[in-house]
Amino acid sequence: GAVVSQHPSWVICKSGTSVKIECRSLDFQATTMFWYRQFPKQSLMLMATSNEGSKATYEQGVEKDKFLINHASLTLSTLTVTSAHPEDSSFYICSARVNRTANYGYTFGSGTRLTVV
Amino acid sequence: GEDVEQSLFLSVREGDSSVINCTYTDSSSTYLYWYKQEPGAGLQLLTYIFSNMDMKQDQRLTVLLNKKDKHLSLRIADTQTGDSAIYFCAETLYSSASKIIFGSGTRLSIRP
């Protein structure tokens, strides 16, 4: 089945540094990938939609200069949290739509837990 | 607007059936999904139903859709300890097939 690999699974960084999270589709091409943020005991909040070869579409309230998204190939999208602060600590999850399925199915990565100290 | 609501907690005895409920507001839903999230992990698609269906059964899972009341439920038969997780109801809309909207999640706990 369709697999999305997300890396790293967890990261601790110092305030002011940048962190890059990668999301790869392993056995399919993903023209569109999605980045979510999840606070403890809360639902997933869509941050942005990443489109291969074009600019990402950000949801209202999400700072595009803070959360840089790059989708340079059909199998890789990256999210870079720039100048991270403790309030950016969260669980970040990517997903991709598997176009070949009939149910608009979405496959999710395993998530990245970011802790900013 | 787009809104998907679920109750936050459910506790059931091992071996009993679990029923997790979800309501949504947008009548233009195309697909409705149930995802399972175990601690510290991503989301696993359990099952889905197309909006013109009333019911779908897959082994221990039964999904019921009442489109008139905009109500979706997931029944897990013979609930086991491994079913402990957070269950998210989600929908995609006809107007925006790329966007998936999640409910708040229901934390299912199993007691012996």
Side-chain angles (χ1 to χ4, degrees), chain A residues 32 34 36 38 41-44 46 49 59 91 93 95 97 102-111 113, chain B residues 8 30-31 33 35 37 40-45 48 86 88 92 96-100 102-105 107:
Chain A
T32 304
F34 306 89
Y36 294 85
Q38 185 181 31
K41 299 182 180 179
Q42 293 190 27
S43 188
L44 281 74
L46 179 64
T49 302
E59 294 297 304
F91 193 59
I93 305 177
S95 84
R97 188 172 68 184
N103 65 340
Y104 294 94
Y106 297 79
T107 298
F108 286 80
S110 55
R113 182 161 303 283
Chain B
L8 292 180
T30 51
Y31 290 97
Y33 308 84
Y35 284 89
Q37 184 182 35
L43 271 69
Q44 172 196 355
L45 177 64
Y48 66 93
I86 300 175
F88 289 95
T92 49
S96 175
S98 295
K99 189 172 179 179
I100 185 169
F102 287 91
S104 54
R107 184 177 295 274

